[in-house]
PDB file of all heavy atoms in Angstrom:
ATOM      1  N   CYS P 185      62.167  24.318  -0.199  1.00 94.00           N
ATOM      2  CA  CYS P 185      63.319  24.610  -1.014  1.00 94.00           C
ATOM      3  C   CYS P 185      64.220  23.365  -0.951  1.00 94.00           C
ATOM      4  O   CYS P 185      64.050  22.436  -0.228  1.00 94.00           O
ATOM      5  CB  CYS P 185      64.049  25.755  -0.584  1.00 94.00           C
ATOM      6  SG  CYS P 185      64.527  25.723   1.135  1.00 94.00           S
ATOM      7  N   SER P 222      57.463  27.800   5.078  1.00 98.00           N
ATOM      8  CA  SER P 222      56.429  28.911   5.339  1.00 98.00           C
ATOM      9  C   SER P 222      56.579  30.159   4.430  1.00 98.00           C
ATOM     10  O   SER P 222      55.975  31.257   4.839  1.00 98.00           O
ATOM     11  CB  SER P 222      56.868  29.524   6.812  1.00 98.00           C
ATOM     12  OG  SER P 222      56.517  28.621   7.822  1.00 98.00           O
ATOM     13  N   ILE P 223      57.218  29.953   3.353  1.00 97.00           N
ATOM     14  CA  ILE P 223      57.693  31.085   2.565  1.00 97.00           C
ATOM     15  C   ILE P 223      56.452  31.897   2.073  1.00 97.00           C
ATOM     16  O   ILE P 223      56.503  33.165   2.032  1.00 97.00           O
ATOM     17  CB  ILE P 223      58.567  30.590   1.371  1.00 97.00           C
ATOM     18  CG1 ILE P 223      59.340  31.891   0.815  1.00 97.00           C
ATOM     19  CG2 ILE P 223      57.795  29.980   0.197  1.00 97.00           C
ATOM     20  CD1 ILE P 223      60.577  32.145   1.396  1.00 97.00           C
ATOM     21  N   ARG P 224      55.290  31.263   1.706  1.00 98.00           N
ATOM     22  CA  ARG P 224      54.049  31.853   1.332  1.00 98.00           C
ATOM     23  C   ARG P 224      53.004  31.251   1.905  1.00 98.00           C
ATOM     24  O   ARG P 224      53.079  30.127   2.246  1.00 98.00           O
ATOM     25  CB  ARG P 224      53.908  31.822  -0.304  1.00 98.00           C
ATOM     26  CG  ARG P 224      54.848  32.776  -0.968  1.00 98.00           C
ATOM     27  CD  ARG P 224      54.880  32.549  -2.455  1.00 98.00           C
ATOM     28  NE  ARG P 224      55.553  31.288  -2.847  1.00 98.00           N
ATOM     29  CZ  ARG P 224      56.888  31.251  -2.888  1.00 98.00           C
ATOM     30  NH1 ARG P 224      57.701  32.265  -2.780  1.00 98.00           N
ATOM     31  NH2 ARG P 224      57.463  30.084  -3.155  1.00 98.00           N
ATOM     32  N   ASP P 225      51.797  32.049   2.095  1.00 97.00           N
ATOM     33  CA  ASP P 225      50.763  31.327   2.745  1.00 97.00           C
ATOM     34  C   ASP P 225      50.254  30.181   2.059  1.00 97.00           C
ATOM     35  O   ASP P 225      49.788  29.136   2.754  1.00 97.00           O
ATOM     36  CB  ASP P 225      49.519  32.394   2.790  1.00 97.00           C
ATOM     37  CG  ASP P 225      48.371  31.954   3.608  1.00 97.00           C
ATOM     38  OD1 ASP P 225      48.643  31.584   4.834  1.00 97.00           O
ATOM     39  OD2 ASP P 225      47.297  31.760   3.136  1.00 97.00           O
ATOM     40  N   TYR P 335      59.970  41.433   3.156  1.00 98.00           N
ATOM     41  CA  TYR P 335      58.853  40.472   2.922  1.00 98.00           C
ATOM     42  C   TYR P 335      59.181  39.087   3.374  1.00 98.00           C
ATOM     43  O   TYR P 335      58.099  38.165   3.468  1.00 98.00           O
ATOM     44  CB  TYR P 335      58.607  40.255   1.391  1.00 98.00           C
ATOM     45  CG  TYR P 335      59.848  39.929   0.654  1.00 98.00           C
ATOM     46  CD1 TYR P 335      60.409  38.702   0.574  1.00 98.00           C
ATOM     47  CD2 TYR P 335      60.587  40.998   0.107  1.00 98.00           C
ATOM     48  CE1 TYR P 335      61.517  38.384  -0.114  1.00 98.00           C
ATOM     49  CE2 TYR P 335      61.793  40.705  -0.539  1.00 98.00           C
ATOM     50  CZ  TYR P 335      62.246  39.389  -0.613  1.00 98.00           C
ATOM     51  OH  TYR P 335      63.490  39.172  -1.274  1.00 98.00           O
ATOM     52  N   CYS P 336      60.267  38.655   3.919  1.00 98.00           N
ATOM     53  CA  CYS P 336      60.666  37.271   4.024  1.00 98.00           C
ATOM     54  C   CYS P 336      60.657  36.805   5.468  1.00 98.00           C
ATOM     55  O   CYS P 336      61.198  37.298   6.355  1.00 98.00           O
ATOM     56  CB  CYS P 336      62.057  37.139   3.418  1.00 98.00           C
ATOM     57  SG  CYS P 336      62.509  35.366   3.412  1.00 98.00           S
ATOM     58  N   VAL P 337      60.158  35.491   5.512  1.00 97.00           N
ATOM     59  CA  VAL P 337      60.007  34.945   6.918  1.00 97.00           C
ATOM     60  C   VAL P 337      61.279  34.179   7.319  1.00 97.00           C
ATOM     61  O   VAL P 337      61.450  33.760   8.506  1.00 97.00           O
ATOM     62  CB  VAL P 337      58.715  33.906   6.839  1.00 97.00           C
ATOM     63  CG1 VAL P 337      58.951  32.752   6.054  1.00 97.00           C
ATOM     64  CG2 VAL P 337      58.138  33.800   8.177  1.00 97.00           C
ATOM     65  N   VAL P 338      62.100  33.894   6.353  1.00 96.00           N
ATOM     66  CA  VAL P 338      63.253  32.965   6.631  1.00 96.00           C
ATOM     67  C   VAL P 338      64.142  33.356   7.787  1.00 96.00           C
ATOM     68  O   VAL P 338      64.469  32.431   8.509  1.00 96.00           O
ATOM     69  CB  VAL P 338      64.074  32.748   5.278  1.00 96.00           C
ATOM     70  CG1 VAL P 338      65.365  31.975   5.585  1.00 96.00           C
ATOM     71  CG2 VAL P 338      63.188  31.967   4.285  1.00 96.00           C
ATOM     72  N   GLN P 373      71.258  30.155   2.024  1.00 95.00           N
ATOM     73  CA  GLN P 373      70.318  31.144   1.691  1.00 95.00           C
ATOM     74  C   GLN P 373      71.018  32.299   0.973  1.00 95.00           C
ATOM     75  O   GLN P 373      70.345  33.000   0.185  1.00 95.00           O
ATOM     76  CB  GLN P 373      69.638  31.735   3.022  1.00 95.00           C
ATOM     77  CG  GLN P 373      68.827  30.730   3.661  1.00 95.00           C
ATOM     78  CD  GLN P 373      67.523  30.411   2.966  1.00 95.00           C
ATOM     79  OE1 GLN P 373      67.187  31.189   2.104  1.00 95.00           O
ATOM     80  NE2 GLN P 373      66.905  29.361   3.375  1.00 95.00           N
ATOM     81  N   THR P 409      71.837  30.021  -3.091  1.00 96.00           N
ATOM     82  CA  THR P 409      71.435  31.136  -3.907  1.00 96.00           C
ATOM     83  C   THR P 409      72.276  32.369  -3.754  1.00 96.00           C
ATOM     84  O   THR P 409      72.905  32.565  -2.572  1.00 96.00           O
ATOM     85  CB  THR P 409      70.039  31.561  -3.447  1.00 96.00           C
ATOM     86  OG1 THR P 409      69.164  30.518  -3.755  1.00 96.00           O
ATOM     87  CG2 THR P 409      69.531  32.799  -4.290  1.00 96.00           C
ATOM     88  N   HIS P 434      71.911  31.794 -10.103  1.00 98.00           N
ATOM     89  CA  HIS P 434      70.566  32.083  -9.741  1.00 98.00           C
ATOM     90  C   HIS P 434      70.652  33.449  -8.938  1.00 98.00           C
ATOM     91  O   HIS P 434      71.291  33.540  -7.883  1.00 98.00           O
ATOM     92  CB  HIS P 434      70.018  30.990  -8.842  1.00 98.00           C
ATOM     93  CG  HIS P 434      68.501  31.274  -8.424  1.00 98.00           C
ATOM     94  ND1 HIS P 434      67.601  31.413  -9.457  1.00 98.00           N
ATOM     95  CD2 HIS P 434      67.833  31.471  -7.424  1.00 98.00           C
ATOM     96  CE1 HIS P 434      66.417  31.775  -8.980  1.00 98.00           C
ATOM     97  NE2 HIS P 434      66.625  31.715  -7.634  1.00 98.00           N
ATOM     98  N   PRO P 436      68.386  36.171  -7.676  1.00 98.00           N
ATOM     99  CA  PRO P 436      66.993  36.747  -7.515  1.00 98.00           C
ATOM    100  C   PRO P 436      66.986  38.359  -7.514  1.00 98.00           C
ATOM    101  O   PRO P 436      67.537  38.942  -6.752  1.00 98.00           O
ATOM    102  CB  PRO P 436      66.569  36.252  -6.053  1.00 98.00           C
ATOM    103  CG  PRO P 436      67.428  35.157  -5.874  1.00 98.00           C
ATOM    104  CD  PRO P 436      68.761  35.263  -6.519  1.00 98.00           C
ATOM    105  N   GLN P 438      63.749  40.109  -7.646  1.00 98.00           N
ATOM    106  CA  GLN P 438      62.537  40.407  -6.971  1.00 98.00           C
ATOM    107  C   GLN P 438      61.765  41.562  -7.502  1.00 98.00           C
ATOM    108  O   GLN P 438      60.645  41.411  -7.694  1.00 98.00           O
ATOM    109  CB  GLN P 438      62.810  40.750  -5.440  1.00 98.00           C
ATOM    110  CG  GLN P 438      63.783  39.834  -4.630  1.00 98.00           C
ATOM    111  CD  GLN P 438      63.315  38.394  -4.604  1.00 98.00           C
ATOM    112  OE1 GLN P 438      62.230  38.042  -5.034  1.00 98.00           O
ATOM    113  NE2 GLN P 438      64.162  37.568  -3.987  1.00 98.00           N
ATOM    114  N   ARG P 450      66.314  45.241  -0.024  1.00 98.00           N
ATOM    115  CA  ARG P 450      67.328  44.328  -0.770  1.00 98.00           C
ATOM    116  C   ARG P 450      68.723  44.897  -0.810  1.00 98.00           C
ATOM    117  O   ARG P 450      69.595  44.188  -1.061  1.00 98.00           O
ATOM    118  CB  ARG P 450      66.811  44.139  -2.268  1.00 98.00           C
ATOM    119  CG  ARG P 450      65.541  43.306  -2.237  1.00 98.00           C
ATOM    120  CD  ARG P 450      65.811  41.870  -1.877  1.00 98.00           C
ATOM    121  NE  ARG P 450      66.393  41.195  -2.948  1.00 98.00           N
ATOM    122  CZ  ARG P 450      66.960  39.890  -2.863  1.00 98.00           C
ATOM    123  NH1 ARG P 450      66.766  39.237  -1.737  1.00 98.00           N
ATOM    124  NH2 ARG P 450      67.540  39.339  -3.842  1.00 98.00           N
ATOM    125  N   THR P 475      66.299  33.762 -12.053  1.00 98.00           N
ATOM    126  CA  THR P 475      65.915  34.800 -11.064  1.00 98.00           C
ATOM    127  C   THR P 475      64.580  34.452 -10.331  1.00 98.00           C
ATOM    128  O   THR P 475      63.902  33.421 -10.694  1.00 98.00           O
ATOM    129  CB  THR P 475      65.822  36.150 -11.621  1.00 98.00           C
ATOM    130  OG1 THR P 475      65.893  37.176 -10.734  1.00 98.00           O
ATOM    131  CG2 THR P 475      64.487  36.347 -12.377  1.00 98.00           C
ATOM    132  N   ASP P 476      64.337  35.070  -9.338  1.00 98.00           N
ATOM    133  CA  ASP P 476      63.021  35.054  -8.651  1.00 98.00           C
ATOM    134  C   ASP P 476      62.383  36.477  -8.737  1.00 98.00           C
ATOM    135  O   ASP P 476      63.079  37.498  -8.600  1.00 98.00           O
ATOM    136  CB  ASP P 476      63.167  34.815  -7.042  1.00 98.00           C
ATOM    137  CG  ASP P 476      63.716  33.493  -6.872  1.00 98.00           C
ATOM    138  OD1 ASP P 476      63.802  32.599  -7.527  1.00 98.00           O
ATOM    139  OD2 ASP P 476      64.123  33.276  -5.576  1.00 98.00           O
ATOM    140  N   VAL P 477      61.080  36.505  -8.935  1.00 98.00           N
ATOM    141  CA  VAL P 477      60.369  37.704  -9.008  1.00 98.00           C
ATOM    142  C   VAL P 477      59.246  37.814  -8.166  1.00 98.00           C
ATOM    143  O   VAL P 477      58.466  36.680  -8.136  1.00 98.00           O
ATOM    144  CB  VAL P 477      60.022  38.013 -10.457  1.00 98.00           C
ATOM    145  CG1 VAL P 477      59.269  39.325 -10.608  1.00 98.00           C
ATOM    146  CG2 VAL P 477      61.097  38.004 -11.392  1.00 98.00           C
ATOM    147  N   ILE P 478      58.941  38.886  -7.447  1.00 98.00           N
ATOM    148  CA  ILE P 478      57.635  39.001  -6.657  1.00 98.00           C
ATOM    149  C   ILE P 478      56.693  40.173  -7.354  1.00 98.00           C
ATOM    150  O   ILE P 478      57.191  41.130  -7.583  1.00 98.00           O
ATOM    151  CB  ILE P 478      57.989  39.406  -5.227  1.00 98.00           C
ATOM    152  CG1 ILE P 478      58.913  38.369  -4.559  1.00 98.00           C
ATOM    153  CG2 ILE P 478      56.613  39.629  -4.361  1.00 98.00           C
ATOM    154  CD1 ILE P 478      59.219  38.742  -3.092  1.00 98.00           C
ATOM    155  N   ALA P 479      55.492  39.749  -7.642  1.00 98.00           N
ATOM    156  CA  ALA P 479      54.472  40.559  -8.192  1.00 98.00           C
ATOM    157  C   ALA P 479      53.632  41.234  -7.078  1.00 98.00           C
ATOM    158  O   ALA P 479      53.133  40.385  -6.155  1.00 98.00           O
ATOM    159  CB  ALA P 479      53.660  39.950  -9.208  1.00 98.00           C
ATOM    160  N   TYR P 505      61.591  31.986 -11.315  1.00 98.00           N
ATOM    161  CA  TYR P 505      60.536  31.557 -10.376  1.00 98.00           C
ATOM    162  C   TYR P 505      59.806  32.760 -10.022  1.00 98.00           C
ATOM    163  O   TYR P 505      60.285  33.860  -9.640  1.00 98.00           O
ATOM    164  CB  TYR P 505      61.117  30.936  -9.094  1.00 98.00           C
ATOM    165  CG  TYR P 505      61.845  29.689  -9.363  1.00 98.00           C
ATOM    166  CD1 TYR P 505      63.328  29.832  -9.588  1.00 98.00           C
ATOM    167  CD2 TYR P 505      61.287  28.516  -9.284  1.00 98.00           C
ATOM    168  CE1 TYR P 505      64.034  28.688  -9.793  1.00 98.00           C
ATOM    169  CE2 TYR P 505      62.073  27.309  -9.590  1.00 98.00           C
ATOM    170  CZ  TYR P 505      63.470  27.437  -9.803  1.00 98.00           C
ATOM    171  OH  TYR P 505      64.140  26.334 -10.004  1.00 98.00           O
ATOM    172  N   PHE P 507      56.323  34.846  -8.346  1.00 98.00           N
ATOM    173  CA  PHE P 507      55.263  34.748  -7.242  1.00 98.00           C
ATOM    174  C   PHE P 507      54.537  36.056  -7.101  1.00 98.00           C
ATOM    175  O   PHE P 507      55.013  37.013  -7.264  1.00 98.00           O
ATOM    176  CB  PHE P 507      56.077  34.436  -5.889  1.00 98.00           C
ATOM    177  CG  PHE P 507      57.102  33.398  -5.929  1.00 98.00           C
ATOM    178  CD1 PHE P 507      58.486  33.742  -6.008  1.00 98.00           C
ATOM    179  CD2 PHE P 507      56.714  32.082  -5.987  1.00 98.00           C
ATOM    180  CE1 PHE P 507      59.434  32.748  -6.020  1.00 98.00           C
ATOM    181  CE2 PHE P 507      57.841  31.135  -6.089  1.00 98.00           C
ATOM    182  CZ  PHE P 507      59.077  31.428  -6.038  1.00 98.00           C
ATOM    183  N   GLN P 508      53.324  35.776  -6.496  1.00 98.00           N
ATOM    184  CA  GLN P 508      52.637  36.951  -5.993  1.00 98.00           C
ATOM    185  C   GLN P 508      53.010  37.182  -4.612  1.00 98.00           C
ATOM    186  O   GLN P 508      53.261  36.281  -3.878  1.00 98.00           O
ATOM    187  CB  GLN P 508      51.062  36.598  -5.902  1.00 98.00           C
ATOM    188  CG  GLN P 508      50.451  36.481  -7.246  1.00 98.00           C
ATOM    189  CD  GLN P 508      48.868  36.431  -7.132  1.00 98.00           C
ATOM    190  OE1 GLN P 508      48.401  37.027  -6.190  1.00 98.00           O
ATOM    191  NE2 GLN P 508      48.338  35.711  -7.998  1.00 98.00           N
ATOM    192  N   TYR P 509      53.156  38.465  -4.175  1.00 98.00           N
ATOM    193  CA  TYR P 509      53.367  38.801  -2.795  1.00 98.00           C
ATOM    194  C   TYR P 509      52.455  38.274  -1.880  1.00 98.00           C
ATOM    195  O   TYR P 509      51.212  38.300  -2.015  1.00 98.00           O
ATOM    196  CB  TYR P 509      53.572  40.288  -2.507  1.00 98.00           C
ATOM    197  CG  TYR P 509      53.766  40.641  -1.130  1.00 98.00           C
ATOM    198  CD1 TYR P 509      54.852  40.170  -0.405  1.00 98.00           C
ATOM    199  CD2 TYR P 509      52.856  41.454  -0.463  1.00 98.00           C
ATOM    200  CE1 TYR P 509      54.993  40.473   0.912  1.00 98.00           C
ATOM    201  CE2 TYR P 509      53.007  41.790   0.821  1.00 98.00           C
ATOM    202  CZ  TYR P 509      54.077  41.292   1.548  1.00 98.00           C
ATOM    203  OH  TYR P 509      54.215  41.630   2.843  1.00 98.00           O
ATOM    204  N   SER P 510      52.973  37.470  -0.778  1.00 98.00           N
ATOM    205  CA  SER P 510      52.126  36.900   0.269  1.00 98.00           C
ATOM    206  C   SER P 510      52.583  37.443   1.663  1.00 98.00           C
ATOM    207  O   SER P 510      53.757  37.205   1.878  1.00 98.00           O
ATOM    208  CB  SER P 510      52.261  35.394   0.140  1.00 98.00           C
ATOM    209  OG  SER P 510      51.852  34.767   1.229  1.00 98.00           O
ATOM    210  N   GLU P 511      51.694  38.189   2.275  1.00 98.00           N
ATOM    211  CA  GLU P 511      52.142  38.810   3.503  1.00 98.00           C
ATOM    212  C   GLU P 511      52.471  37.699   4.623  1.00 98.00           C
ATOM    213  O   GLU P 511      51.639  36.905   4.867  1.00 98.00           O
ATOM    214  CB  GLU P 511      51.104  39.801   4.013  1.00 98.00           C
ATOM    215  CG  GLU P 511      51.529  40.494   5.319  1.00 98.00           C
ATOM    216  CD  GLU P 511      50.464  41.450   5.643  1.00 98.00           C
ATOM    217  OE1 GLU P 511      49.571  41.076   6.444  1.00 98.00           O
ATOM    218  OE2 GLU P 511      50.613  42.638   5.343  1.00 98.00           O
ATOM    219  N   ARG P 512      53.641  37.774   5.243  1.00 98.00           N
ATOM    220  CA  ARG P 512      53.919  36.842   6.235  1.00 98.00           C
ATOM    221  C   ARG P 512      53.933  37.549   7.588  1.00 98.00           C
ATOM    222  O   ARG P 512      54.727  38.484   7.805  1.00 98.00           O
ATOM    223  CB  ARG P 512      55.306  36.095   5.950  1.00 98.00           C
ATOM    224  CG  ARG P 512      55.583  35.599   4.590  1.00 98.00           C
ATOM    225  CD  ARG P 512      54.368  34.659   4.056  1.00 98.00           C
ATOM    226  NE  ARG P 512      54.267  33.444   4.861  1.00 98.00           N
ATOM    227  CZ  ARG P 512      53.163  32.981   5.328  1.00 98.00           C
ATOM    228  NH1 ARG P 512      52.055  33.570   5.165  1.00 98.00           N
ATOM    229  NH2 ARG P 512      53.188  31.931   6.034  1.00 98.00           N
ATOM    230  N   THR P 515      56.914  39.796   9.765  1.00 98.00           N
ATOM    231  CA  THR P 515      57.924  40.248   8.867  1.00 98.00           C
ATOM    232  C   THR P 515      57.938  41.866   8.987  1.00 98.00           C
ATOM    233  O   THR P 515      57.004  42.409   9.389  1.00 98.00           O
ATOM    234  CB  THR P 515      57.939  39.908   7.422  1.00 98.00           C
ATOM    235  OG1 THR P 515      56.640  40.236   6.983  1.00 98.00           O
ATOM    236  CG2 THR P 515      58.131  38.369   7.309  1.00 98.00           C
TER     237      THR P 515
HETATM  238  N1  5AD S 157      55.780  36.517  -0.857  1.00 90.82           N
HETATM  239  C1  5AD S 157      55.979  36.083  -2.071  1.00 90.82           C
HETATM  240  N2  5AD S 157      57.187  35.601  -2.617  1.00 90.82           N
HETATM  241  C2  5AD S 157      58.139  35.439  -1.511  1.00 90.82           C
HETATM  242  N3  5AD S 157      59.377  35.010  -1.527  1.00 90.82           N
HETATM  243  C3  5AD S 157      59.907  35.174  -0.380  1.00 90.82           C
HETATM  244  N4  5AD S 157      59.061  35.662   0.515  1.00 90.82           N
HETATM  245  C4  5AD S 157      58.057  35.811  -0.177  1.00 90.82           C
HETATM  246  C5  5AD S 157      56.663  36.437   0.163  1.00 90.82           C
HETATM  247  N5  5AD S 157      56.384  36.815   1.339  1.00 90.82           N
HETATM  248  C6  5AD S 157      60.151  34.577  -2.820  1.00 90.82           C
HETATM  249  C7  5AD S 157      61.243  35.377  -3.174  1.00 90.82           C
HETATM  250  C8  5AD S 157      62.480  34.511  -2.903  1.00 90.82           C
HETATM  251  C9  5AD S 157      61.795  33.113  -3.060  1.00 90.82           C
HETATM  252  C10 5AD S 157      62.573  32.011  -2.393  1.00 90.82           C
HETATM  253  O1  5AD S 157      60.461  33.219  -2.601  1.00 90.82           O
HETATM  254  O2  5AD S 157      61.341  35.727  -4.555  1.00 90.82           O
HETATM  255  O3  5AD S 157      63.572  34.779  -3.548  1.00 90.82           O
END
Side-chain angles (χ1 to χ4, degrees):
C185 58
S222 287
I223 198 90
R224 286 168 290 276
D225 185 56
Y335 50 80
C336 187
V337 77
V338 171
Q373 293 293 345
T409 298
H434 187 59
Q438 314 298 2
R450 290 291 286 173
T475 203
D476 294 344
V477 182
I478 298 177
Y505 298 91
F507 313 103
Q508 291 189 32
Y509 172 58
S510 163
E511 185 177 83
R512 307 313 293 132
T515 56

